[in-house]
Amino acid sequence: LRARAPATGMPPCEAAFAPRGAPVATTDGVELAPLCYVNGRRVLLPPGRGEATLLEFLREKGLTGTKLGCGEGGCGACTIMVSAWDAASGRPRHRAVNACLAPLYSVEGCAVVTVEGIGNRDAGLHPVQARLAAAHGSQCGFCTPGFVMSAYALMREDPAPSDAAVERALAGNLCRCTGYRPIMRAFTELARQAREGDAAAKEAAPAGRVCPSTGKPCGCGGGAKPGGLLGASVAADDAESTAAARAAEGLVTPAEPLFPVELRRREPKPLRLPGAHATWHRPRELDALLALVTAHPHARIIGGNTEVGVEARFKGVEDPVLIAPTHVPELTALKETPDGLRVGGAVTLTDLEARCHEVAADRPMACAAAAAVASQLQWFAGAQIRNVATVAGNVCTASPISDLNPILVACGATMTLAREKGGGVATREVAAADFFLGYRKTAMAEGEVLLAVTLPRAKGVAPGALDIVHDFKQSHRREDDIAIVTAGVRVLLEPEAGGSYVVREAGVGMGGVAPRTIRCQQVEAALVGQTWGRKALDAALRAVREDVTLPENVPGGMPEYRMALSSAVLFKFFAKATLALPAAAVVDGDTTRAELESAAAAVHRAPCDGQPTWPPAVDAAGEVGQPHAHVAAEMQVSGEARYVDDAPLPAACLHAVPVISEKPRAVVTAIDASQALAMEGVEGFFGAADVPGDNMIGPIMHDEECFVAVGSEAPCCGALIGLVVAETEAVARRAARAVEVTYEERTPVLTIEDAIAAGWYLDNTGDKPHTLNVGDTEGVIAAVERGEGPEGARVVHGEIKIGGQEHFYLEPMSCVVSPGEGGEMVVLQSTQCPNKTQVMVSGVLGVAANRVVCKTKRLGGGFGGKETRAAFLSAAAAVPAQKLGRAVRLVLDRDLDMKMTGTRHPFLGRYAVAFQPDGALLAADVQLYSNGGYSCDLSIPIIDRAAFHSDNCYAVPNFRVRARACRTNLPTNTAFRGFGGPQGMIVAETWVAHVAAAVGLEPEVVRQRNFYKAGEVTPFGQELVEGEWRVPAIWEELRVKADYDTRAKAIDAFNTGSRWLKRGLAMVPTRFGISFTAKFMNQGASLVHVYTDGTVLVTHGGTEMGQGLHTKVCQVAADALGVPLASVHVAETSTDKIPNASPTAASASSDLYCMATKMACEKLMARLSPYRKAEGKGWLQAAALAAYLDRVDLSEHGFYATPDITQFDWDEPSPKGRPFNYFTMGAAVAEVELDCLTGEAAVRRADVLMDLGRPLNPAIDVGQVEGAFVQGLGWCMLEELKWGDSEHSWGREGHLISVGPGAYKIPAAADAPADFRVHLLEGADNPRAVHSSKAVGEPPFFLAASAWAAARKAAAAARSDAGKGSNFFRLDSPATPERLRMACADELTADVAADDFVARLSC
């Protein structure tokens, strides 16, 4: 499948591609072999695979560049291009598609192209691939092939797209590493280059020359679309010679396949493909479709498979009959009629949007709703989903949060239903308002299908009347997210004498406010007959509370916010409609045009861009300090980079699927696996009784079970009870669902407050919290509260809740465990710490550590989540591997990964702070509580680091922090970028903001006034050394770089003139300690081999997870040995090469492993210097050979232990020490725009200045800063974990509600700062690390809190306009749209919540 089509275009021998007994579809008595083309090769589709996805098939065939990231079309890692011939236009249509959802048989008759099919390192990279690699747009690389294919598919369909089109094309792709700026820059620059070429071609085109493929002017002299980098597909049937065809299609690399001639000529036929689990039907005629539906009333009709595919994968739903309506002409028709725009049920959302844009632009009166539909669809999912999702699929699922259905209700759309009747077709029409009967229930009768939807044309409209329709959608994330509230509103306004307008007709549909899409009849009644103006709006706002009132425990939660949004719908519509009236129109009320414009406006989002700056390398000729691309970038962009699940499986490898607890706290009384074991292909069920060694595990304390044993307490939902092992993953899934577990339930403890009340703390904190104390904190605060402190001094008290954060590494937890001889076990795992895996596997198996080897080539993201929580999965998989003597593969689905492996720790911070009238701090008493989950894991060092950072950069003469880790019945929480530091610092920024509000100063003034000075000492006793403490200098430099003062004045002026759209500007510093706080972990080793051809191999103890560690190690080695970078290679991390390695964590790995490598290379250089006969970078080959012939050792081991740090002893009465080697420092300025009616916020600009010493690789370091910042934006502005707890009683108790990318939203490209400026501080030497560099991975993360602080300022401006004054208000993290909207506290929220309302948060 990797090879391209032969030059002749004729099909190759099919024997290698089609299984024996090839798939045969019966159509009209003729046998038809269903086929597709994959990367130019003709492929017969296998039989009996109706339930299979295209992704499964591709990966089975070795095309592993297409990744499985989520399985529900929410991350884009599986993106491929599917091309199909479009007879109407005479060319193929190229579409990006999610292979994880695409049914295998849906691509019958299509050409599929994967990332392997467009370019590779041997044949040459495609420009899309090459540009992304060169732009540093790939870090961990797991998401990279998906981005490549989304951009490639766009540019095959539109060779010269706009920047906005590029951004939209990438909206369905997620990246957790880069921060998106380099990705967006790579592809928008490519598109701009293509547009320039397109313009040049058009200018040079001979008069009258028209491209037969597109109908546009063409200067190519052939049939290709002009310009662009990719060209368009061939149109002429005779273009079968390789040269002519490739030139016509504009293909630029040898690997790119032509669109097959066979598929251009092939007439699609009806299909029936039977299988053991599902039979696939693809009718070609309407009566055949209806006959199938009649014969199989419970059959599922498949369009985009976004509903059925997710149910099959995650809920185990099996549908024996699947029907694809995609080739029925009546269902794919899209045409204008006298009644309006008639849309066939199988029309894709992409095609509907395009037609609606056309109608809205050229013929707006033909269908007033067209513009609203087009507007709504631009935010519907990603391009990969819209390209295949159908109108009927969206409508007939009857989701209460459907994007389209409220518009259909509002505009009076008509549903045309069809069924079989007497061998013919009978139809009936149902108004959209009557179509939705209940939750997931419609007016369709058994045997009916949705034939078409008609968007109506207004009839009998009076002269001068205005038919106005607008859409509304509010979600957590603007792009590719399900709605919280969605709506459509229509009014028909007719002119009256005197210039006013009267409402003749009104339609209001809403979703997200009831179990179904509703028609707001009270609002409609309140509007009809009213003169358009403020009185009409006020009547509608009163009426909406009759239509929309939600109880506190409403499913989905957020009742206050959702009710406030229902009012915002009407207010925004009023503003837009009023602004659409003629200038002479008379509108009653005192609402100004400026207020209307601010209410109608949307938050501005532009494609992320920016130009980073960094200091020049110290040695321009050296390798260190150069902005080299990631050493694996070209492999990653071409899909050649292998991750754990990409490696060929060992012979007879089995597949394991976990059985997990479904109760948050319950004793397991029995496990019955008999039904599972009876299934064909199942090899066994393995649990605690099968563990040959110690079932108790843990990275620090052995306080959790590998498998929950019968008689033990299952401590949470998601606790591992056992593994089902089978010959295939599909069989293992079915069998796992058949295992029955019996429980004796107990009352769970789920939140921090519950744990405090119950006295549940993790064991080694006992009754004594870890405490840092300087001065007389209690005494000073008490004195000030008694009025005995300095004149005017006061005390503020407060608290903040900080939610958790899912790691959402794109590569899920993965391992393959292979048994060897004599108890040996080899583990391939995606882990940040192979050593922990080795230790845990050996302990569970009861074998010596020297019999277990753990290997890690690369990780598809880690962020701390794979430091400790990966190991127990390998240990579990090792049990059946040892018992059965066969390799076992265990790869978690995204939902299981999220349910089982823990998150960033939620925190509760409480404080009392004393201060003077000028904002100078006198004392701060801080209490920190974390939710550690059911076991210790790393919760104690995490809460310790939170305490170490709880002062951020502020000197408080009397300071006390008490920190405790709580035990709850949630999955064990674990390390995440920042390791508790960000939680401690955001508590500090909360009390700084509280103090600033109390004294009437900007928070930035209070921050700067209280900065530490060089020579001062932190509460834990570490001096901030003169010459190394740079926060005050960074602050001043960034203030100038970001033009802070000028912009602050401009924002004040903007806010004065804008009531409902506000902006905020904030500046925040950070100080992050570098080192593991456990002293013994600060060590690293490297093994360097020199070969006689002059190449160098390095093996070290760190793992590569996108942070560029291997690249930096290569640079340091090349620099130390004086050889080209290409001569150095880093091998996989393996415990049999480097033993006892510390985790790749704490941002310290470059310090440890680059220094260890440098030390080894320096020893080798000394040893080889007598043999050096030549200068320049080619010297090593001759010297190495000469040394070898002289029997000189060409291998060296380097070992580095961080000097001068001390082990911090919390048991001392006043603990002091030096836990950190040095501090990485920085500051950020963020400008945020906030829609006060919805709470939607966007970062307009972010300026970051980091002190990273002398960077080893400034481009990689900038990438780490950008990625950390955007991940931090997710933490404090967007990502919310919701559990079934006391705050969310509507959810299943103890269960994670926000599972998968559909419910849990990480930042997408549109969430990154539109203007993203990262600067690295110049002249900042660091004598405490290799080549004067500094660690970078974690420190920038917290600087995203500048956006959180800016959003607070924007909300404060709104509160001030609403008459709420300038008092401090609580803003928990994350500052989601819900929290920001409710913080604005205005007349539209007054009837649903108090001014000091605090939204619910799982914590």
Side-chain angles (χ1 to χ4, degrees):
L1 293 182
R2 293 178 183 272
R4 57 191 176 88
T8 62
M10 298 298 291
C13 174
E14 297 169 359
F17 302 97
R20 294 177 184 268
V24 175
T26 302
T27 169
D28 299 328
V30 178
E31 289 188 346
L32 172 71
L35 62 85
C36 71
Y37 277 71
V38 178
N39 294 338
R41 297 300 299 268
R42 191 174 192 266
V43 179
L44 293 182
L45 297 174
R49 299 290 300 276
E51 78 287 357
T53 65
L54 177 60
L55 178 64
E56 292 167 347
F57 177 72
L58 293 173
R59 292 183 62 82
E60 288 167 7
K61 299 303 180 184
L63 294 172
T64 56
T66 308
K67 309 299 184 190
L68 175 61
C70 68
E72 58 179 86
C75 72
C78 65
T79 303
I80 46 92
M81 184 178 80
V82 176
S83 303
W85 187 255
D86 180 28
S89 63
R91 70 179 185 93
R93 298 286 299 277
H94 306 289
R95 292 286 186 251
V97 171
N98 290 124
C100 74
L101 289 178
L104 174 58
Y105 294 149
S106 71
V107 297
E108 199 283 331
C110 299
V112 174
V113 179
T114 72
V115 69
E116 293 94 341
I118 69 170
N120 54 64
R121 291 180 302 153
D122 292 336
L125 296 177
H126 190 277
V128 170
Q129 296 168 318
R131 185 64 63 96
L132 187 61
H136 308 281
S138 179
Q139 290 187 18
C140 86
F142 197 84
C143 68
T144 301
F147 274 98
V148 167
M149 292 311 298
S150 287
Y152 178 78
L154 168 69
M155 298 186 77
R156 283 296 298 269
E157 182 67 16
D158 179 4
S162 66
D163 289 1
V166 171
E167 185 178 34
R168 282 206 73 200
L170 301 181
N173 293 79
L174 298 178
C175 175
R176 198 56 153 161
C177 297
T178 65
Y180 295 103
R181 185 203 60 81
I183 298 175
M184 296 304 301
R185 167 160 283 200
F187 294 144
T188 53
E189 284 183 346
L190 202 62
R192 289 166 195 164
Q193 181 181 339
R195 292 197 298 274
E196 291 168 3
D198 187 58
K202 288 178 180 177
E203 186 175 342
R209 163 64 75 177
V210 175
C211 175
S213 177
T214 66
K216 294 185 178 182
C218 178
C220 65
K225 189 173 179 178
L229 296 175
L230 310 183
S233 294
V234 65
D237 279 347
D238 62 351
E240 292 188 20
S241 75
T242 301
R246 296 186 69 78
E249 287 206 39
L251 305 182
V252 297
T253 70
E256 283 184 278
L258 294 162
F259 185 81
V261 173
E262 179 183 13
L263 298 186
R264 277 187 267 137
R265 296 170 172 170
R266 189 170 187 267
E267 180 69 24
K269 301 292 184 182
L271 296 177
R272 177 182 178 274
L273 299 169
H277 298 288
T279 296
W280 179 271
H281 296 270
R282 189 186 71 187
R284 288 280 285 127
E285 297 176 351
L286 179 59
D287 57 356
L289 169 66
L290 297 177
L292 284 169
V293 173
T294 300
H296 306 283
H298 300 295
R300 301 298 292 271
I301 301 180
I302 299 282
N305 202 37
T306 55
E307 182 93 359
V308 177
V310 170
E311 288 180 353
R313 184 171 189 89
F314 297 110
K315 298 180 181 179
V317 176
E318 295 189 6
D319 295 296
V321 180
L322 301 172
I323 304 172
T326 52
H327 288 59
V328 177
E330 292 89 341
L331 271 75
T332 57
L334 180 55
K335 58 185 179 181
E336 293 175 49
T337 72
D339 294 325
L341 183 62
R342 182 181 172 91
V343 185
V347 169
T348 67
L349 299 185
T350 293
D351 289 342
L352 173 60
E353 181 186 355
R355 177 60 70 88
C356 284
H357 276 301
E358 177 191 332
V359 171
D362 300 337
R363 302 174 298 283
M365 292 308 294
C367 178
V373 169
S375 173
Q376 190 76 305
L377 287 178
Q378 71 176 320
W379 305 118
F380 183 96
Q384 301 95 317
I385 298 292
R386 292 193 301 273
N387 287 338
V388 294
T390 63
V391 172
N394 186 260
V395 170
C396 293
T397 55
S399 168
I401 52 174
S402 165
D403 292 0
L404 279 181
N405 293 345
I407 300 176
L408 303 181
V409 169
C411 74
T414 301
M415 314 298 194
T416 301
L417 308 179
R419 63 183 177 87
E420 184 184 41
K421 184 177 181 180
V425 177
T427 63
R428 68 185 179 104
E429 294 187 345
V430 178
D434 301 323
F435 187 74
F436 306 104
L437 305 181
Y439 180 73
R440 303 277 182 173
K441 184 179 180 181
T442 71
M444 293 174 66
E446 186 175 289
E448 286 187 321
V449 299
L450 179 58
L451 181 63
V453 176
T454 300
L455 301 175
R457 178 195 300 267
K459 297 180 179 179
V461 177
L466 298 172
D467 193 4
I468 302 173
V469 184
H470 284 294
D471 63 300
F472 178 92
K473 176 181 178 179
Q474 184 57 45
S475 51
H476 290 289
R477 186 177 71 197
R478 169 49 59 189
E479 287 188 332
D480 191 9
D481 194 2
I482 57 176
I484 298 171
V485 168
T486 179
V489 183
R490 172 185 177 262
V491 294
L492 179 63
L493 300 179
E494 292 186 352
E496 292 185 306
S500 62
Y501 282 78
V502 65
V503 181
R504 290 300 179 206
E505 297 177 12
V508 182
M510 282 196 193
V513 295
R516 61 182 177 87
T517 299
I518 66 169
R519 178 184 177 191
C520 296
Q521 298 184 16
Q522 298 302 318
V523 175
E524 293 175 358
L527 286 173
V528 173
Q530 287 266 13
T531 298
W532 188 252
R534 184 68 198 215
K535 291 180 181 178
L537 172 62
D538 290 342
L541 290 173
R542 288 190 299 270
V544 77
R545 205 51 61 234
E546 299 179 52
D547 286 315
V548 179
T549 299
L550 302 175
E552 185 174 344
N553 64 342
V554 61
M558 303 179 287
E560 299 85 0
Y561 179 48
R562 289 154 70 183
M563 287 190 285
L565 287 177
S566 69
S567 298
V569 166
L570 301 175
F571 195 95
K572 278 186 166 289
F573 179 83
F574 172 77
K576 292 177 181 180
T578 303
L579 292 171
L581 297 178
V586 175
V587 180
D588 75 74
D590 57 0
T591 306
T592 66
R593 185 173 185 84
E595 183 178 351
L596 292 172
E597 288 173 345
S598 70
V603 167
H604 176 72
R605 294 179 185 271
C608 178
D609 201 2
Q611 183 60 54
T613 66
W614 55 69
V618 174
D619 179 4
E623 298 293 350
V624 167
Q626 301 300 334
H628 291 297
H630 195 292
V631 291
E634 291 190 352
M635 290 190 290
Q636 290 168 185
V637 297
S638 60
E640 297 170 78
R642 284 185 174 178
Y643 301 80
V644 169
D645 200 33
D646 299 337
L649 293 176
C653 184
L654 297 169
H655 300 261
V657 170
V659 175
I660 62 173
S661 170
E662 295 294 330
K663 304 295 181 183
R665 186 186 178 199
V667 174
V668 175
T669 58
I671 302 172
D672 182 2
S674 58
Q675 293 184 51
L677 296 173
M679 293 183 180
E680 184 179 353
V682 173
E683 292 295 322
F685 172 81
F686 297 86
D690 301 290
V691 172
D694 190 353
N695 192 44
M696 297 303 297
I697 59 173
I700 298 176
M701 300 167 55
H702 287 203
D703 62 344
E704 57 181 300
E705 291 181 294
C706 183
F707 298 102
V708 178
V710 174
S712 294
E713 183 176 279
C716 69
C717 296
L720 181 61
I721 290 175
L723 292 178
V724 170
V725 177
E727 296 290 346
T728 69
E729 188 174 22
V731 170
R733 287 179 193 277
R734 293 188 188 98
R737 290 191 289 268
V739 175
E740 296 181 358
V741 182
T742 306
Y743 304 92
E744 181 183 292
E745 296 188 54
R746 296 177 177 176
T747 302
V749 172
L750 300 172
T751 69
I752 291 174
E753 289 164 316
D754 291 344
I756 293 172
W760 274 31
Y761 300 102
L762 289 165
D763 290 347
N764 67 348
T765 58
D767 293 327
K768 179 185 176 184
H770 284 186
T771 303
L772 299 174
N773 197 7
V774 176
D776 182 15
T777 304
E778 281 191 76
V780 170
I781 289 175
V784 170
E785 289 186 319
R786 292 193 304 268
E788 299 173 1
E791 184 177 353
R794 285 184 285 163
V795 175
V796 293
H797 297 261
E799 73 174 35
I800 177 177
K801 287 183 177 180
I802 306 150
Q805 184 182 23
E806 165 61 32
H807 299 86
F808 215 96
Y809 28 71
L810 267 291
E811 177 201 27
M813 292 286 195
S814 310
C815 67
V816 178
V817 184
S818 302
E821 61 184 30
E824 291 179 340
M825 197 70 67
V826 176
V827 182
L828 302 181
Q829 184 165 45
S830 180
T831 176
Q832 293 173 240
C833 190
N835 175 57
K836 289 186 187 296
T837 294
Q838 178 192 32
V839 170
M840 195 171 291
V841 169
S842 67
V844 169
L845 294 184
V847 301
N850 65 2
R851 301 301 178 93
V852 179
V853 175
C854 181
K855 300 173 180 288
T856 299
K857 182 66 176 177
R858 61 173 56 84
L859 289 72
F863 315 113
K866 296 177 181 176
E867 180 177 345
T868 61
R869 301 314 293 170
F872 83 95
L873 295 168
S874 288
V879 173
Q882 185 192 63
K883 293 277 187 180
L884 299 174
R886 295 172 65 178
V888 173
R889 167 190 173 270
L890 174 57
V891 177
L892 295 186
D893 275 339
R894 178 63 58 184
D895 65 332
L896 281 177
D897 197 310
M898 294 182 71
K899 291 174 182 178
M900 295 177 68
T901 61
T903 69
R904 182 186 297 278
H905 287 63
F907 267 60
L908 170 63
R910 292 171 173 163
Y911 58 85
V913 180
F915 53 93
Q916 300 197 64
D918 64 354
L921 300 171
L922 296 172
D925 193 4
V926 180
Q927 297 179 74
L928 301 176
Y929 299 92
S930 73
N931 189 327
Y934 73 83
S935 69
C936 183
D937 191 71
L938 300 176
S939 293
I940 304 308
I942 286 169
I943 197 74
D944 290 349
R945 184 171 281 266
F948 286 138
H949 290 77
S950 58
D951 55 341
N952 197 3
C953 299
Y954 311 119
V956 187
N958 302 278
F959 185 85
R960 180 174 68 175
V961 57
R962 291 167 286 174
R964 309 194 77 170
C966 298
R967 181 165 62 91
T968 64
N969 293 118
L970 294 182
T972 291
N973 290 321
T974 191
F976 199 143
R977 198 176 206 160
F979 206 75
Q983 293 97 315
M985 287 187 277
I986 202 168
V987 174
E989 294 305 331
T990 298
W991 45 258
V992 165
H994 201 159
V995 169
V999 297
L1001 295 173
E1002 287 293 307
E1004 288 71 22
V1005 173
V1006 176
R1007 291 180 182 118
Q1008 187 170 14
R1009 184 159 292 160
N1010 290 283
F1011 279 157
Y1012 279 110
K1013 298 179 178 62
E1016 292 186 316
V1017 177
T1018 66
F1020 49 87
Q1022 186 160 345
E1023 181 184 354
L1024 302 173
V1025 179
E1026 182 74 42
E1028 296 181 16
W1029 175 243
R1030 300 187 177 114
V1031 164
I1034 290 170
W1035 186 268
E1036 291 295 346
E1037 183 174 333
L1038 181 61
R1039 193 178 192 105
V1040 174
K1041 281 183 179 291
D1043 196 17
Y1044 181 90
D1045 295 324
T1046 301
R1047 291 167 60 200
K1049 292 177 182 177
I1051 285 173
D1052 286 343
F1054 174 88
N1055 287 343
T1056 299
S1058 177
R1059 172 65 186 91
W1060 298 106
L1061 200 66
K1062 297 293 184 182
R1063 292 177 185 168
L1065 187 70
M1067 191 172 181
V1068 167
T1070 192
R1071 177 208 76 200
F1072 195 87
I1074 303 300
S1075 289
F1076 292 99
T1077 52
K1079 180 181 177 181
F1080 75 91
M1081 297 177 71
N1082 293 283
Q1083 56 176 297
S1086 180
L1087 184 62
V1088 181
H1089 301 318
V1090 174
Y1091 295 96
T1092 56
D1093 66 350
T1095 60
V1096 180
L1097 179 67
V1098 181
T1099 304
H1100 59 82
T1103 59
E1104 175 60 54
M1105 49 189 164
Q1107 83 280 37
L1109 175 59
H1110 284 0
T1111 305
K1112 290 181 176 180
V1113 167
C1114 286
Q1115 288 182 260
V1116 168
D1119 194 82
L1121 294 172
V1123 299
L1125 183 64
S1127 295
V1128 183
H1129 178 66
V1130 175
E1132 66 185 2
T1133 308
S1134 181
T1135 57
D1136 63 353
K1137 303 298 187 297
I1138 302 296
N1140 312 314
S1142 294
T1144 303
S1147 303
S1149 297
S1150 292
D1151 289 4
L1152 296 175
Y1153 299 114
C1154 288
M1155 185 64 87
T1157 301
K1158 181 174 181 286
M1159 294 167 69
C1161 290
E1162 287 171 346
K1163 293 178 187 178
L1164 284 168
M1165 280 293 286
R1167 197 177 301 157
L1168 287 167
S1169 60
Y1171 303 94
R1172 183 167 187 168
K1173 304 301 181 183
E1175 297 301 321
K1177 291 190 175 184
W1179 73 276
L1180 187 56
Q1181 182 175 359
L1185 180 59
Y1188 167 73
L1189 294 174
D1190 207 19
R1191 299 185 298 174
V1192 172
D1193 184 8
L1194 295 180
S1195 180
E1196 188 54 73
H1197 174 261
F1199 180 81
Y1200 175 72
T1202 308
D1204 302 329
I1205 57 176
T1206 61
Q1207 180 60 51
F1208 203 80
D1209 187 357
W1210 290 95
D1211 292 330
E1212 293 183 3
S1214 297
K1216 297 288 186 291
R1218 183 185 170 85
F1220 303 116
N1221 186 29
Y1222 60 87
F1223 297 101
T1224 293
M1225 295 158 277
V1229 173
E1231 180 180 340
V1232 168
E1233 188 168 78
L1234 171 66
D1235 184 337
C1236 301
L1237 288 169
T1238 66
E1240 182 180 348
V1243 182
R1244 290 170 51 84
R1245 176 175 164 183
D1247 297 76
V1248 180
L1249 179 59
M1250 291 297 300
D1251 168 16
L1252 298 182
R1254 299 281 185 180
L1256 297 175
N1257 183 316
I1260 283 178
D1261 284 359
V1262 164
Q1264 287 293 289
V1265 174
E1266 292 172 337
F1269 189 92
V1270 172
Q1271 195 174 66
L1273 282 179
W1275 168 65
C1276 65
M1277 295 290 288
L1278 177 61
E1279 299 174 42
E1280 183 170 5
L1281 286 164
K1282 294 183 179 181
W1283 297 86
D1285 54 23
S1286 55
E1287 296 283 81
H1288 306 94
S1289 59
W1290 49 272
R1292 292 174 63 195
E1293 187 177 45
H1295 283 256
L1296 180 62
I1297 298 168
S1298 49
V1299 178
Y1304 184 81
K1305 297 299 174 181
I1306 70 170
D1311 298 299
D1315 186 353
F1316 203 175
R1317 308 184 188 191
V1318 172
H1319 311 282
L1320 305 187
L1321 188 67
E1322 295 195 30
D1325 292 341
N1326 177 33
R1328 301 180 186 275
V1330 59
H1331 286 292
S1332 202
S1333 64
K1334 278 192 172 184
V1336 63
E1338 294 172 287
F1341 178 92
F1342 174 70
L1343 292 179
S1346 57
W1348 171 81
R1352 173 192 286 281
K1353 285 189 177 182
R1359 291 173 70 92
S1360 179
D1361 281 0
K1364 310 302 179 185
S1366 58
N1367 293 334
F1368 178 80
F1369 58 95
R1370 176 171 164 178
L1371 183 63
D1372 290 343
S1373 175
T1376 57
E1378 176 193 15
R1379 290 186 179 83
L1380 290 173
R1381 172 63 189 105
M1382 302 311 291
C1384 291
D1386 49 57
E1387 61 267 31
L1388 297 183
T1389 63
D1391 65 338
V1392 296
D1395 293 347
D1396 59 354
F1397 170 78
V1398 177
R1400 301 159 188 82
L1401 178 65
S1402 289
C1403 182

